[in-house]
Amino acid sequence: MAKLPPYVGIGGKTWHYSFRFICGAILFFLITPILVIIPLSFNSEPYFTYPMPGVSMRWYEEFVTNPVWGTAVKNSIIVAVFATIIATTLGTVAALGLSKSNLPGKSALMGILISPMIVPLVITAVGMKFFYSDPMGYLGFGWLQDMMIQWGWISDKLRLTNNLPGLIVAHAALGTPFVVITVTATLVGFDNSLIRASAGLGADPRRTFFKVTMPLVLPGMISGALFAFITSFDEVVIALFLAGKAEYTIPRQMFSGIREQISPTILAVATVLVIFSILLLTSLELLRRRNERMRGMSAA
Amino acid sequence: MTDTTASNADDPMADQGTLKQRLAKAERRNKLRAYGLVLPLFIFSAIFFFFPIGLMMFNSIDNPLVANAVPKTVEALKTQWDSRKDTLPPEEVYATFGKEFHDLDRLTQSRMARRMNFENAGLLTLVRRTGSRLNALGKETEGGLDAITDWKTTLIEVDGRWGDAEVWATMRNIGDPITGNYYLNALDLRRDKHGEITTVDENRSIYIDVAVRTFWISGLVTFFCILLGYPVSFLLANLPMRYSNLLMILVLLPFWTSLLVRTTAWIVVLQDQGVLNDVLIFLHLIPDRVQLIYNRFGVIVSMTHILLPFMILPIYSVMKNINPSHVRAARSLGATQWTAFWRVYFPQSVPGIGAGGLLVFILALGYYITPALVGGPTDQMTSYFIADHTERSLNWGLASALGGILLASVLAIYLLYNRFVGIDNMKLG
């Protein structure tokens, strides 16, 4: 593929170059829309066309100074961080359980645990909107809740709508499949004799986990955590249904912005997000390399 | 301790037995521990993810309102009225309804009005007006409502539509606490005067169209993703590592970029005053600006763009594992380049197309944000109507039934995916 052998005829050459051209066009289609908006975010006028009349940072200034965006950034970070912690912890532990070979019902369990990734977001969001409005009541603990209200422990029904904890658990539930998938993938080919060796050398299970298992699954954990983080950071449909104005996240705020009147501030935010995803992508790539290296060592 | 070792030494068979038992026991303990590790996540997902969806599915058949508000009327309609005879319900039904309905508080009355309105637009005003008129009548009439003897005439005077058997049939049809009516509505069906299932008027039927549109758009997007994804995957899988890693970034960067950023990008590119129109005019390809957004074209282009990485990655990972010597063998046996590709290489890459195609199709079926932002009114998919009925018209039953149908379709394809691809083979990044 890299160099054409000398025997390839005209037809073969034509095909070779036109194929490359087609692929180039497709890759161009993939990347250009994202790149096009970056310069436009520095436009001095609120238009979305080239050539730009001048360059300015005013839209970035707007993004940094407008308290609406400030709140959105703060909310997004809080929600994503906590959702990631929950998802990564639960997902890693579950993946360790699932990695046991020939566990009965394993594929069914896996299918269930991964389904949050597959269920259309609107369905998840609407179901959550119903349930999160009164989770205690729906779970059959309405009486306990009433008693707690009577005793003055809580002033109202415990709800998960219009507050950050609701968004956090919802996003955590969405993020877990990614962690399960990535950690399970790291555990494929995991050498269980390492655990036995560690135990044989006198380590208790906790020490074994932190000293042997964890370093080996860490790349999977981190890449799962990155997926969980970006899932939460990028999620808008659930925020649309569960968040009130005070809980607007960045994507939710962008959605409103696009709906009402798309301003270049959105493009400034988008640019920041693109840079952010480049950073994420880079760290993921470095992780992958590290993982391959460690795999190579354990195989040797 | 010494005792057991002694007996074991004496009887090797006993030793084997206990060892076997101990092994089985250890194995069982291991299994339990494995389940124990999965349990926390399972419980978490069950409460915060599966229960809400289950609740929504229950909402799609739950219909307590009319049954609780006017139970006697519903009962009377069922036992004392034969709608097949094309007559109005007998006086007793009118009387039962009049009294029962009047005794309801205003909130329940207006909720019932809304519920009736879901079945038959226009009934909202009828039921509301009846509530306030009966209230007034109770005060005006000497001796209150009990003095009314001829309820049939009274109600028909309040609103002529009470003289329409259809209205009564509607009330009876939605009188069951558990109903399939929302599912009927979601399939453009309804129960007629006689309680039989029929199709709704043509001008009112939308949801079959919406379902067909949802599948059609998802299918088209999947098709374009295969069309565009296959060559790129082929190129990436067959280039030397150095180049393919570089080009892979062009695939992964969009994959990692926020959905809203990509949707925003397409709005900027496709707008009337946008970049693409500028370029096309500059190149004299079109004489005037054309509408590229808020229509089907915009939806297909942006969805294809957003889902393309989900197609490329699985195809690429399958192609990576195709042994290149197979194609070389075919070539050396005299196959043309095309034959070698079509008969040897392509069949081996089909699993990748299947995996990517099913994944893209599943994801496309549930799309909401992108069509909502770049589509016109006739490009909205099922998700849009679910959201709309939840937030705007508050017809939660219908929203849930539409959701139930969408969920069933997605799960069916998910099972296919699981069978052919295997959920554990899902690759990320």
Side-chain angles (χ1 to χ4, degrees):
Chain A
M1 201 71 196
K3 259 204 187 103
L4 286 181
Y7 54 79
V8 174
I10 299 260
K13 269 187 191 144
T14 319
W15 167 241
H16 178 83
Y17 288 112
S18 41
F19 178 74
R20 294 242 164 146
F21 178 77
I22 292 168
C23 288
I26 297 168
L27 290 170
F28 181 81
F29 165 76
L30 264 172
I31 203 75
T32 324
I34 297 170
L35 298 184
V36 156
I37 58 172
I38 294 177
L40 284 177
S41 68
F42 294 99
N43 200 341
S44 58
E45 299 301 321
Y47 306 123
F48 302 114
T49 44
Y50 292 98
M52 306 192 305
V55 175
S56 94
M57 288 295 282
R58 58 189 276 210
W59 312 113
Y60 288 87
E61 237 177 85
E62 162 83 10
F63 171 53
V64 178
T65 50
N66 192 335
V68 171
W69 285 106
T71 320
V73 171
K74 201 183 79 197
N75 285 337
S76 270
I77 291 177
I78 293 175
V79 170
V81 165
F82 282 101
T84 305
I85 293 173
I86 298 175
T88 312
T89 317
L90 292 173
T92 306
V93 172
L96 287 175
L98 284 170
S99 70
K100 192 184 145 40
S101 53
N102 51 47
L103 188 73
K106 178 175 159 182
S107 65
L109 260 179
M110 193 82 176
I112 291 171
L113 293 179
I114 285 174
S115 59
M117 223 167 89
I118 300 299
V119 174
L121 275 171
V122 167
I123 295 180
T124 313
V126 172
M128 284 175 171
K129 183 191 164 77
F130 295 145
F131 175 68
Y132 285 18
S133 62
D134 180 19
M136 292 280 272
Y138 281 119
L139 285 174
F141 292 108
W143 55 273
L144 186 66
Q145 181 165 260
D146 292 341
M147 267 157 71
M148 282 159 81
I149 293 174
Q150 255 178 13
W151 295 336
W153 290 11
I154 46 176
S155 56
D156 199 4
K157 277 180 190 166
L158 295 170
R159 17 169 76 243
L160 288 166
T161 48
N162 295 329
N163 57 29
L164 291 181
L167 274 185
I168 290 172
V169 289
H171 286 180
L174 286 189
T176 52
F178 298 102
V179 182
V180 171
I181 292 176
T182 52
V183 178
T184 316
T186 343
L187 284 169
V188 170
F190 181 80
D191 191 353
N192 265 311
S193 53
L194 290 176
I195 304 257
R196 283 198 290 276
S198 162
L201 290 167
D204 59 24
R206 235 186 66 209
R207 197 179 159 83
T208 306
F209 178 78
F210 283 110
K211 290 278 171 190
V212 180
T213 317
M214 184 121 148
L216 280 166
V217 299
L218 200 62
M221 265 176 81
I222 297 179
S223 70
L226 285 178
F227 270 105
F229 187 88
I230 202 78
T231 305
S232 164
F233 206 68
D234 192 18
E235 200 291 318
V236 59
V237 182
I238 288 177
L240 221 47
F241 282 82
L242 292 186
K245 268 250 184 244
E247 293 83 34
Y248 271 18
T249 54
I250 300 175
R252 179 68 187 84
Q253 188 61 43
M254 282 181 83
F255 184 81
S256 302
I258 298 172
R259 264 268 154 108
E260 285 149 26
Q261 227 242 298
I262 177 162
S263 89
T265 314
I266 305 257
L267 297 193
V269 181
T271 306
V272 173
L273 288 181
V274 170
I275 292 166
F276 186 69
S277 39
I278 292 177
L279 290 179
L280 273 180
L281 181 61
T282 317
S283 35
L284 201 74
E285 179 62 19
L286 292 177
L287 266 173
R288 201 181 55 82
R289 296 218 177 130
R290 188 193 119 119
N291 191 20
E292 264 166 20
R293 230 177 23 241
M294 292 202 38
R295 284 292 178 89
M297 266 161 63
S298 63
Chain B
M1 198 61 190
T2 40
D3 206 37
T4 46
T5 24
S7 73
N8 281 350
D10 289 341
D11 184 359
M13 292 306 284
D15 184 22
Q16 235 176 28
T18 50
L19 188 65
K20 212 171 168 182
Q21 277 164 13
R22 263 158 55 199
L23 196 68
K25 206 170 157 191
E27 187 57 24
R28 211 166 36 239
R29 206 182 311 127
N30 266 337
K31 248 183 229 165
L32 281 180
R33 190 184 296 150
Y35 285 128
L37 289 173
V38 180
L39 197 65
L41 174 58
F42 193 81
I43 293 175
F44 180 83
S45 300
I47 294 178
F48 294 111
F49 184 81
F50 293 107
F51 196 95
I53 291 174
L55 184 66
M56 184 180 176
M57 293 306 108
F58 179 66
N59 277 341
S60 68
I61 54 167
D62 187 31
N63 185 37
L65 200 97
V66 174
N68 289 342
V70 289
K72 287 186 209 140
T73 312
V74 173
E75 181 66 26
L77 275 170
K78 279 183 183 162
T79 52
Q80 297 176 23
W81 180 45
D82 185 0
S83 57
R84 296 188 175 284
K85 284 190 185 141
D86 272 339
T87 54
L88 284 176
E91 170 63 23
E92 289 91 342
V93 174
Y94 277 89
T96 318
F97 173 72
K99 287 176 201 147
E100 211 173 21
F101 187 69
H102 175 255
D103 289 342
L104 294 174
D105 56 278
R106 297 222 59 136
L107 186 65
T108 318
Q109 283 183 352
S110 89
R111 275 189 183 149
M112 189 170 153
R114 210 174 65 206
R115 176 69 189 89
M116 300 266 294
N117 200 58
F118 290 156
E119 295 301 315
N120 199 343
L123 293 186
L124 187 77
T125 51
L126 166 69
V127 181
R128 283 219 176 125
R129 180 186 307 163
T130 309
S132 49
R133 283 293 299 138
L134 283 182
N135 216 1
L137 266 178
K139 283 174 194 138
E140 286 163 17
T141 324
E142 249 176 89
L145 286 177
D146 291 333
I148 296 177
T149 46
D150 190 357
W151 273 99
K152 202 169 195 165
T153 329
T154 312
L155 277 173
I156 293 174
E157 266 169 21
V158 167
D159 194 309
R161 278 176 288 181
W162 289 119
D164 183 358
E166 193 88 34
V167 173
W168 292 101
T170 304
M171 199 188 296
R172 182 203 52 201
N173 289 344
I174 60 172
D176 294 319
I178 296 290
T179 181
N181 282 6
Y182 291 123
Y183 278 99
L184 293 181
N185 293 348
L187 295 168
D188 285 337
L189 299 170
R190 64 183 189 95
R191 286 187 188 279
D192 68 2
K193 208 156 63 166
H194 311 305
E196 307 276 342
I197 296 168
T198 53
T199 51
V200 298
D201 305 339
E202 218 159 282
N203 54 355
R204 288 242 212 104
S205 85
I206 37 176
Y207 298 114
I208 295 282
D209 280 355
V210 170
V212 169
R213 183 191 303 160
T214 305
F215 273 82
W216 172 242
I217 291 180
S218 306
L220 270 181
V221 168
T222 310
F223 172 76
F224 285 123
C225 279
I226 295 174
L227 201 69
L228 301 183
Y230 195 87
V232 172
S233 314
F234 184 85
L235 182 75
L236 288 174
N238 290 295
L239 274 182
M241 260 310 199
R242 277 181 300 149
Y243 302 112
S244 73
N245 270 349
L246 221 66
L247 290 182
M248 199 59 166
I249 293 174
L250 300 183
V251 178
L252 288 177
L253 183 61
F255 183 70
W256 279 92
T257 303
S258 163
L259 175 89
L260 275 169
V261 171
R262 285 182 280 170
T263 309
T264 312
W266 279 110
I267 296 176
V268 170
V269 171
L270 296 177
Q271 268 183 350
D272 289 354
Q273 303 297 324
V275 180
L276 186 57
N277 259 318
D278 283 353
V279 171
L280 290 178
I281 288 193
F282 180 75
L283 297 174
H284 296 290
L285 287 172
I286 46 168
D288 249 323
R289 294 185 179 271
V290 285
Q291 172 95 14
L292 299 167
I293 198 172
Y294 310 122
N295 56 20
R296 193 61 61 87
F297 176 80
V299 173
I300 301 278
V301 169
S302 45
M303 277 180 74
T304 304
H305 177 256
I306 290 168
L307 290 167
L308 190 51
F310 288 96
M311 181 67 80
I312 294 178
L313 295 174
I315 299 183
Y316 169 77
S317 80
V318 167
M319 282 180 173
K320 225 29 216 169
N321 291 323
I322 297 176
N323 193 337
S325 60
H326 293 177
V327 173
R328 279 203 292 270
R331 292 282 277 150
S332 75
L333 289 169
T336 61
Q337 204 172 358
W338 169 251
T339 315
F341 168 76
W342 184 245
R343 299 285 297 277
V344 177
Y345 192 89
F346 181 76
Q348 296 189 69
S349 66
V350 165
I353 300 178
L358 286 172
L359 188 63
V360 167
F361 192 70
I362 289 178
L363 294 175
L365 278 182
Y367 254 54
Y368 168 53
I369 295 295
T370 306
L373 291 177
V374 302
T378 52
D379 307 310
Q380 300 306 325
M381 298 159 70
T382 303
S383 288
Y384 174 87
F385 291 88
I386 296 174
D388 195 58
H389 281 303
T390 309
E391 299 281 55
R392 222 191 314 240
S393 73
L394 302 181
N395 191 348
W396 290 355
L398 182 55
S400 302
L402 287 168
I405 294 169
L406 179 62
L407 186 63
S409 328
V410 167
L411 286 184
I413 301 163
Y414 180 49
L415 288 179
L416 267 183
Y417 182 93
N418 201 8
R419 164 161 294 188
F420 289 116
V421 186
I423 203 66
D424 355 8
N425 290 332
M426 195 178 273
K427 293 269 188 337
L428 294 172

